[in-house]
Amino acid sequence: MRQETIKDIKVIYLVKNTDVFWKSVNLNKFKCLCLGSIVILCVSISLFIPKRLSAKEVSSTQSQESILLNRAEKAYFSGDYQLAIASWLKIIKQQEPKSNQSVTAYSNLASLYWHTGNPSAAIKYWQKSLAFYREQETESAQAKLAATLVDTARAYNDLGQPRFSIPLLTEAVSIAQQQQLVKVQAVAYLALGNAYTIEKNYDSAINAYQKSLNNIAHTSSDLPVVVGNNLSRAYQQKALITRVKAIALNQEGELSARELWRQVKRDRTLAWQAAKKATEIRESSRSIARVEALLQLASLAQDDAAKNSIAVESLLKAEFILSTLPDSHQKVYSLIELGKLTDNYDSRAESILKSAVKTAQKINHPRVASFAFGAIGKHYESQYQYDRALSWTKQAQFSAQQAQAPDSLYQWDWQVARIYQAMGDTKTSIEAYQRAIASLQSIRDNSFQPQENSLSNFQSDIEPIYRSLIELLLFNNSSDFYLQQALQTKDLLLLSELENFFQDDCFELETYTKNDKLAYLKQTDTAIINTIILEDKTYLIWQFPDGKLKKYAVDISQNQLAKLVTQWRFDLENKENDNYLSLSQQLYKLFFPPAVQADLATSKPKNLIFVNDGILRNVPLVSLHDGQKFLVENYSVTTSLGFNIRAKQVNAPIKKAIAFGLSTQTAQFPPLPYVEQEIQQLGELVQQEQFLNNQFSFKNFSQQVKSNETSLVHIATHGQFGGTTENTFLQAYQSQISLKELEETLSIRNYNFPDHPIQLLVLSACETAVSNPRSTLGMSGVAARAGVSNVLGSLWSVNDQQIVTLIDGFYRYWIQDGLSQPEALRQTQLDLIQNSNSHPSNWSSMILIQG
């Protein structure tokens, strides 16, 4: 009886007589998305079969509906999807919205839209089906509800929107458990694992995949193969993220990195075991799912020379199975992957990729064809056969344009750019790089959400496009036109980097005109210094108070600069010696060579705004030393994201402040004994509400800030700013405040009081990761995104009274004496330098970041 109630839940599985079985498992629209996404295997049907209405559902007086139904079915089977869609839409118009006929048409339309790659349209019609099934209390309706919930959720996953899919899947699992729908439950857990994978919540994804496997322990389908593959990939992604953290801790000398490396090894082992098990299920199967399992195993085996024989054997098996399968887009993607992997072992990659091209041409699918053309173009590029590479890649461009697929097109524009660059055609190469970036921007503007947006993918698949273009623009070009183009490209790179860091595209900029900016520079005697770090060279682009742009090249590689800057940061923090001085002077000579000094003598700026790149964001450039003085002794120094150097400095009188602090010890951090003094001294200068220790909970912090019109928010507590949102937080009394929670609180506060934005956010006693170029993105990015004018933050924690002296001095110069924030910080630092203990550790840890 249970089987009878679910036999027509066609989208999840098909029924033959009363025997529920899985028709097929295949790759659901192989995700070659804009940020080099990982592949998530899904369960779907290889051929959509529309549901037929029974004689009871279509009476003799409904001959028109019968004709339309027959027409829709024939149109589908003949491949005329548009006619099928039109016929079902007519049925919907002619029937009551909640009749059986309409719901059947909704379901058929949704399934067809999803099958043909339009998940947004599919969701629209599945939601109508959901509304109908929710009103039915029969066992059959509940089974259909569970299945439709899963389908809708999978469509949301396709759109990269797990926040919508996860609640639907949780509900589907609950219904499936009550109704004992084992296979529906298995697919729901598979989709749930995919949703968590999109969120990069790999522990939850792994748990969901394992539950899916538990529900399909005994089956004759390929579903366990799919789940096993996804489980393996989740372990791999988890290992990659842990590896990034371990490398960062290694560079910072942390012993805790050892445990992270052990975790990396464990997860890699589990990834291998899951992949191997997936290939051992249904060894006689000839399906795309089994092909993907074999390719997954081969990919993992390549990391270990001892497993090369396993890789080769897996590739041969996959090639044989593919030769027996009918043409499809899944087959094309598998052939592409097979060709890439085979290229590491023998010369057959070219013929395999040509097979992918032929298959793509047969199925007449432009998007799929673009990847086939592009893959063989990349193969010829790697063989230095540039004419062939260019020919194939241009075909990939054309197909991607036909398919209106910017997430595909940007890759082939980039490939064309690299090929022209290798051929020495700089002008055409620049144009191609610009087209690639334009495609990336169109993806952003259309809120296209990739399934995976990891740091490693960003660094390999996105960042090089921007930096290669910048390098071409600056090489042997010093005109204002090329310098402006380079700076605009740098801004776009930073925007992409921030979106990658925060994992969304919610970043809006307040823009100012070029004339506003030039007027500001002239009126305030300010110069802007953009640093741009490339692989073999670093560039400085200065804009002087008169608006003139000038480029200076620094002959130091990215790796050499990283080593110098990292060591300098360590030396600056160590107040026990003066080892910092030699590097302070060496770096000063790099960034202020004779040509720069000559131009400074002419332009005579009073203020410097650094728009730093990479690891230079993590050091206080005020500590550069010319042999006689620190940089701060000659200029006030500010840092900025650089999107908009404000035309007007907000410097309204501070009437009220709100302060939060933690002086007691926590499980993770030692006490901060001078926090109370730090906050008390602020209260002597301005009306203040303060919340210390047990009053500093996230709930209270959020409520107080959101409802407070104050323009100064002071937070004195331990904090960590790492290279990801996951390892960035502020320590409250018994919990941590995440970066997203901080951003949300500040954003809502500024929304509540739009005419009185927060002028300054102070984060004292926090610490940024030394060698991670992204560590200060959290501090600067959260302010810019939340609409906070400036941030005064610490690069490292100075746990003594010296930081209290610095903060108090800054507030007195700013609030009491009315100096600008940059000048207030400078005067405070000068006072401390005059002190007998002038070590930079005591006065340079705080940096002012302009929002």
Side-chain angles (χ1 to χ4, degrees):
M1 179 64 183
R2 185 75 59 187
Q3 290 176 336
E4 288 294 325
T5 64
I6 58 176
K7 67 179 181 180
D8 55 354
I9 308 175
K10 61 187 181 320
V11 181
I12 299 295
Y13 45 83
L14 305 177
V15 174
K16 186 176 183 180
N17 299 323
T18 59
D19 177 31
V20 180
F21 71 101
W22 297 92
K23 176 67 177 178
S24 72
V25 180
N26 60 33
L27 191 63
N28 176 31
K29 294 192 304 179
F30 183 96
K31 297 293 179 181
C32 297
L33 299 182
C34 71
L35 296 182
S37 61
I38 67 169
V39 180
I40 295 178
L41 296 177
C42 301
V43 175
S44 67
I45 56 176
S46 58
L47 180 64
F48 164 73
I49 301 178
K51 179 182 176 182
R52 302 168 186 266
L53 292 178
S54 67
K56 292 181 181 179
E57 293 175 306
V58 184
S59 67
S60 59
T61 60
Q62 294 174 314
S63 58
Q64 179 64 29
E65 284 77 7
S66 300
I67 293 170
L68 287 172
L69 281 169
N70 289 329
R71 181 184 300 167
E73 292 172 10
K74 290 178 181 178
Y76 176 81
F77 286 115
S78 66
D80 190 347
Y81 296 155
Q82 292 306 313
L83 178 58
I85 290 172
S87 300
W88 281 318
L89 286 173
K90 284 184 179 180
I91 293 173
I92 290 172
K93 288 181 180 180
Q94 294 175 5
Q95 297 294 322
E96 291 294 324
K98 293 185 179 180
S99 67
N100 287 331
Q101 293 92 331
S102 292
V103 174
T104 299
Y106 293 150
S107 182
N108 287 344
L109 277 168
S111 301
L112 182 51
Y113 275 125
W114 186 58
H115 180 72
T116 54
N118 190 344
S120 295
I123 289 169
K124 172 185 174 182
Y125 289 104
W126 269 322
Q127 285 176 335
K128 293 178 182 293
S129 296
L130 287 174
F132 175 82
Y133 292 134
R134 288 188 191 282
E135 295 180 0
Q136 310 299 311
E137 297 181 358
T138 65
E139 196 174 74
S140 175
Q142 286 297 296
K144 293 175 183 178
L145 173 60
T148 308
L149 286 166
V150 175
D151 288 333
T152 311
R154 292 196 295 175
Y156 276 123
N157 280 351
D158 281 354
L159 293 172
Q161 296 176 347
R163 66 187 182 279
F164 297 125
S165 65
I166 290 173
L168 298 178
L169 291 166
T170 303
E171 183 182 357
V173 166
S174 176
I175 295 171
Q177 288 174 338
Q178 295 172 8
Q179 297 285 317
Q180 299 178 28
L181 306 173
V182 177
K183 293 183 179 178
V184 174
Q185 191 174 338
V187 178
Y189 275 125
L190 168 59
L192 189 60
N194 294 345
Y196 284 129
T197 297
I198 297 167
E199 287 191 332
K200 298 185 305 302
N201 183 351
Y202 295 112
D203 286 327
S204 295
I206 288 166
N207 182 53
Y209 290 139
Q210 288 172 336
K211 286 182 177 179
S212 181
L213 287 173
N214 292 340
N215 279 275
I216 48 173
H218 305 288
T219 180
S220 59
S221 78
D222 283 327
L223 181 60
V225 183
V226 175
V227 181
N229 279 342
N230 287 8
L231 177 61
S232 176
R233 288 185 170 90
Y235 277 124
Q236 288 181 70
Q237 289 297 312
K238 184 183 174 188
L240 283 174
I241 290 175
T242 308
R243 182 176 179 273
V244 170
K245 295 177 182 177
I247 290 173
L249 289 177
N250 271 351
Q251 292 169 335
E252 294 162 28
E254 296 282 347
L255 294 176
S256 55
R258 294 178 182 175
E259 176 55 35
L260 291 180
W261 283 115
R262 283 193 286 268
Q263 184 62 51
V264 170
K265 185 177 181 180
R266 284 196 294 269
D267 286 336
R268 283 176 172 171
T269 299
L270 290 169
W272 169 260
Q273 291 173 351
K276 192 170 185 298
K277 186 174 181 180
T279 64
E280 293 169 350
I281 300 170
R282 288 174 52 80
E283 292 187 271
S284 61
S285 171
R286 295 184 183 181
S287 66
I288 288 291
R290 175 147 175 78
V291 168
E292 291 301 324
L294 292 166
L295 295 178
Q296 168 85 339
L297 190 67
S299 178
L300 288 169
Q302 288 184 340
D303 296 332
D304 187 345
K307 296 175 180 175
N308 276 356
S309 60
I310 297 176
V312 172
E313 182 182 2
S314 298
L315 293 174
L316 290 172
K317 288 180 180 178
E319 185 176 4
F320 171 74
I321 294 173
L322 284 171
S323 70
T324 68
L325 294 178
D327 294 336
S328 67
H329 66 280
Q330 298 98 329
K331 180 177 179 178
V332 175
Y333 290 130
S334 294
L335 283 168
I336 292 171
E337 184 66 15
L338 176 64
K340 291 177 182 177
L341 293 171
T342 302
D343 208 13
N344 296 314
Y345 296 99
D346 58 44
S347 59
R348 291 184 306 108
E350 182 177 352
S351 62
I352 293 171
L353 292 172
K354 285 183 178 179
S355 295
V357 168
K358 290 179 181 178
T359 306
Q361 290 172 325
K362 286 180 182 178
I363 64 173
N364 193 26
H365 195 306
R367 177 181 168 82
V368 176
S370 76
F371 285 104
F373 292 140
I376 196 166
K378 188 173 184 178
H379 168 76
Y380 285 126
E381 180 192 7
S382 70
Q383 301 297 314
Y384 311 108
Q385 299 181 44
Y386 296 123
D387 288 336
R388 284 185 169 186
L390 193 58
S391 175
W392 283 107
T393 310
K394 284 185 174 180
Q395 291 185 66
Q397 285 178 307
F398 179 74
S399 294
Q401 289 167 343
Q402 276 189 311
Q404 297 182 334
D407 57 307
S408 167
L409 180 59
Y410 95 88
Q411 299 182 55
W412 317 131
D413 287 334
W414 179 20
Q415 196 157 293
V416 164
R418 295 195 308 267
I419 295 168
Y420 275 121
Q421 187 174 1
M423 296 171 71
D425 189 341
T426 300
K427 182 177 181 296
T428 309
S429 179
I430 287 174
E431 293 170 353
Y433 275 119
Q434 289 172 332
R435 287 196 301 271
I437 290 173
S439 293
L440 286 172
Q441 290 306 114
S442 72
I443 293 169
R444 174 183 180 268
D445 293 342
N446 289 308
S447 299
F448 182 85
Q449 295 295 323
Q451 278 200 342
E452 176 64 25
N453 196 12
S454 72
L455 171 59
S456 60
N457 289 328
F458 177 82
Q459 291 175 329
S460 64
D461 297 339
I462 299 298
E463 188 173 359
I465 303 175
Y466 293 91
R467 294 201 181 274
S468 296
L469 175 57
I470 292 171
E471 185 174 21
L472 283 178
L473 290 167
L474 293 179
F475 184 71
N476 288 337
N477 293 313
S478 297
S479 70
D480 276 10
F481 174 78
Y482 283 106
L483 296 184
Q484 290 285 8
Q485 291 258 308
L487 291 177
Q488 290 169 10
T489 305
K490 183 192 175 187
D491 283 351
L492 292 174
L493 168 60
L494 180 57
L495 187 62
S496 294
E497 193 174 7
L498 283 165
E499 290 172 354
N500 175 259
F501 182 89
F502 285 93
Q503 294 298 296
D504 63 40
D505 59 358
C506 300
F507 202 104
E508 296 183 3
L509 299 176
E510 183 179 2
T511 58
Y512 297 94
T513 68
K514 179 181 178 181
N515 289 337
D516 286 338
K517 180 179 177 181
L518 293 177
Y520 168 70
L521 297 181
K522 186 175 182 179
Q523 291 167 5
T524 59
D525 285 326
T526 298
I528 303 171
I529 308 98
N530 276 274
T531 60
I532 301 174
I533 302 172
L534 302 177
E535 186 174 357
D536 298 318
K537 189 172 291 189
T538 292
Y539 286 96
L540 311 173
I541 300 179
W542 281 70
Q543 187 167 27
F544 294 98
D546 62 1
K548 183 180 180 181
L549 285 170
K550 197 161 183 181
K551 176 191 75 176
Y552 307 88
V554 181
D555 288 322
I556 186 170
S557 71
Q558 182 179 6
N559 290 337
Q560 290 172 322
L561 181 63
K563 289 178 182 178
L564 286 179
V565 170
T566 301
Q567 185 59 53
W568 185 44
R569 165 72 185 266
F570 280 126
D571 291 343
L572 287 173
E573 292 185 49
N574 185 4
K575 65 178 66 178
E576 301 301 320
N577 58 59
D578 291 335
N579 291 344
Y580 73 88
L581 189 57
S582 64
L583 280 175
S584 290
Q585 294 174 352
Q586 183 179 347
L587 288 166
Y588 181 90
K589 291 177 182 178
L590 282 175
F591 294 111
F592 290 84
V596 171
Q597 294 185 44
D599 289 328
L600 287 173
T602 302
S603 60
K604 297 180 181 179
K606 295 179 181 178
N607 310 294
L608 303 181
I609 299 178
F610 281 93
V611 183
N612 281 324
D613 189 18
I615 200 167
L616 289 174
R617 301 168 184 150
N618 299 347
V619 285
L621 295 183
V622 291
S623 300
L624 293 173
H625 199 280
D626 65 5
Q628 295 181 331
K629 293 181 179 180
F630 291 105
L631 187 64
V632 71
E633 295 182 79
N634 294 320
Y635 309 96
S636 75
V637 179
T638 312
T639 63
S640 172
L641 284 174
F643 291 125
N644 286 296
I645 306 300
R646 291 192 310 280
K648 293 181 180 179
Q649 284 281 2
V650 179
N651 203 30
I654 299 297
K655 297 180 180 179
K656 186 179 179 183
I658 184 169
F660 300 85
L662 186 66
S663 63
T664 61
Q665 181 175 353
T666 67
Q668 189 174 355
F669 296 105
L672 295 169
Y674 294 99
V675 160
E676 293 186 22
Q677 180 183 343
E678 180 181 323
I679 292 177
Q680 180 183 352
Q681 289 174 344
L682 172 59
E684 295 172 0
L685 299 173
V686 66
Q687 179 187 348
Q688 174 188 253
E689 292 184 47
Q690 63 181 45
F691 304 91
L692 289 167
N693 297 328
N694 62 350
Q695 294 180 313
F696 182 21
S697 64
F698 169 66
K699 181 178 180 180
N700 195 35
F701 169 77
S702 180
Q703 289 175 345
Q704 296 295 335
V705 171
K706 289 176 182 178
S707 61
N708 206 305
E709 199 173 336
T710 177
S711 52
L712 169 60
V713 177
H714 182 106
I715 305 174
T717 184
H718 292 288
Q720 175 179 299
F721 286 85
T724 65
T725 55
E726 289 82 4
N727 60 5
T728 298
F729 62 86
L730 297 176
Q731 183 66 48
Y733 182 61
Q734 290 183 327
S735 63
Q736 293 176 348
I737 300 173
S738 71
L739 190 64
K740 291 186 177 182
E741 290 171 331
L742 176 63
E743 180 193 351
E744 179 187 0
T745 299
L746 297 173
S747 297
I748 292 175
R749 185 267 167 216
N750 279 341
Y751 178 81
N752 290 338
F753 304 99
D755 296 329
H756 302 279
I758 297 172
Q759 287 190 45
L760 182 66
L761 170 67
V762 176
L763 302 169
S764 69
C766 296
E767 188 154 1
T768 60
V770 177
S771 55
N772 192 319
R774 295 158 55 96
S775 58
T776 57
L777 285 181
M779 191 184 298
S780 54
V782 74
R785 287 161 60 93
V788 176
S789 299
N790 293 311
V791 176
L792 182 66
S794 59
L795 292 173
W796 60 83
S797 178
V798 181
N799 190 17
D800 60 17
Q801 196 167 9
Q802 204 70 45
I803 194 69
V804 179
T805 303
L806 191 154
I807 296 283
D808 182 53
F810 167 79
Y811 280 141
R812 291 186 185 278
Y813 278 120
W814 177 43
I815 298 173
Q816 190 168 279
D817 296 349
L819 297 183
S820 68
Q821 291 176 18
E823 188 59 27
L825 180 59
R826 177 173 181 255
Q827 289 299 325
T828 305
Q829 291 171 327
L830 291 178
D831 290 345
L832 291 170
I833 290 172
Q834 297 304 317
N835 189 298
S836 58
N837 184 6
S838 62
H839 195 289
S841 175
N842 298 315
W843 55 264
S844 70
S845 66
M846 301 295 292
I847 62 169
L848 185 63
I849 303 172
Q850 188 180 88

